[in-house]
Amino acid sequence: MKFIEENEIPDIEPCAATIGCFDGVHTGHRFLVKQVCTTAARHGLKSALITFPVHPRQVMQADYMPELLSCPGQKISLIRNLDADYCIMLPFTKSLSMLTARQFMELLHDRYNVKALVIGYDHRFGHNRTEIFDDYCRYGEELGMTVTKAEPLKCDSTGTYISSSAIRKLLKEGDIETANRFLGYKYHINGTVTEGHKIGRKIGFPTANIAPSCPEKLIPANGVYAVNTWIGDTMYKGMLNIGNRPTANNGNDTSIEVHIIGFNGNIYHQPLLIEFIKRIRPEIKFSSLEELAGQLEKDKTIISKIE
């Protein structure tokens, strides 16, 4: 795959393309890209996906904080594994946001050599997003661009369309297993180990407090999770808590801390990668630290048995 960067003068062969944020680069996105590749082959074109280096709403609304499934670097890494010939990093600007749908399609046609456009089943574009699919088809005929609507990918067990918003909802509910199935990989966060209150150490469960490296990354629902903890190239099972630590009267401050099973080294200020496997239980306030320690022992036994 060839990446066309933001300010690069594009040199692109005639292509079939789709456009979107591709947050998470999940199974629904991969299904969409597969349809683009099929359309490209049918018309004798190259295949391309067009995305944005920065979330469009962050450009339009300076204080907007997206809840991302994939931060920019991770998104690019995931996109590199797709089968398309090109990834076009289109800079989203306020002037771009003012283009009508037809003007935007003309930009794609004239600057990026898009001869066929595959539109996501629920995707709308253009200023105020007032036009519908029939309008896009009409503009395509005027520009010499074939326009087709992609089929959505539906989860067989629930009938839910697989989308970034559906995955965000699952993560906020703590349904990690379904979210991972929709993603096609384990949801994860990167972070650095910081100093904590060291309460876990006092009750036999030392924890690494994690400061996420990407503040825009969505943090799943509060609770206790089975996780994989990666320290460099080595993976350890872990027991992770997200929440306010009510037993320790932590107030309203949310913390992310992991007890790394079978590891006792000093990793302060080192990077970690946490892969979420399953939510074990919600966060609970116990009557004492001793009662909390007893529950953590039970949690550890459950997590140690999870493959």
Side-chain angles (χ1 to χ4, degrees), residues 176 180 185-190 210 225-231 234-240 258-261 272-278 303-304 306-307:
I176 297 296
N180 285 348
Y185 58 86
K186 297 178 181 68
Y187 189 71
H188 56 273
I189 59 173
N190 295 80
I210 302 165
Y225 293 84
V227 299
N228 292 335
T229 305
W230 288 88
I231 305 173
T234 304
M235 189 272 285
Y236 300 86
K237 286 188 176 184
M239 178 167 62
L240 180 136
V258 61
H259 172 69
I260 306 171
I261 299 172
L272 293 183
L273 186 149
I274 302 293
E275 293 178 329
F276 289 82
I277 307 300
K278 183 177 182 179
I303 288 169
S304 296
I306 294 175
E307 296 297 330

Side-chain angles (χ1 to χ4, degrees), residues 1 23 45 47-48 51 74 77 86 90 106 110 125 127 140 145 151-152 160 172 184 189 208 236 248 275:
M1 177 185 290
D23 184 27
L45 302 168
S47 55
T51 191
Q74 181 196 354
S77 295
Y86 299 105
L90 180 63
E106 188 172 357
D110 294 348
F125 56 85
H127 183 57
M145 178 192 293
E151 292 293 324
T160 303
K172 289 179 179 182
I189 59 173
Y236 300 86
E275 293 178 329

Side-chain angles (χ1 to χ4, degrees), residues 191-262:
T192 303
V193 179
T194 62
E195 293 278 353
H197 297 281
K198 297 184 173 64
I199 293 174
R201 188 184 304 274
K202 296 177 183 177
I203 59 175
F205 289 90
T207 60
N209 285 263
I210 302 165
S213 56
C214 177
E216 298 161 337
K217 182 94 170 182
L218 188 152
I219 303 302
N222 287 5
V224 176
Y225 293 84
V227 299
N228 292 335
T229 305
W230 288 88
I231 305 173
D233 295 328
T234 304
M235 189 272 285
Y236 300 86
K237 286 188 176 184
M239 178 167 62
L240 180 136
N241 185 79
I242 299 172
N244 304 322
R245 299 188 301 179
T247 306
N249 296 313
N250 195 48
N252 294 322
D253 293 334
T254 298
S255 62
I256 306 170
E257 50 187 334
V258 61
H259 172 69
I260 306 171
I261 299 172

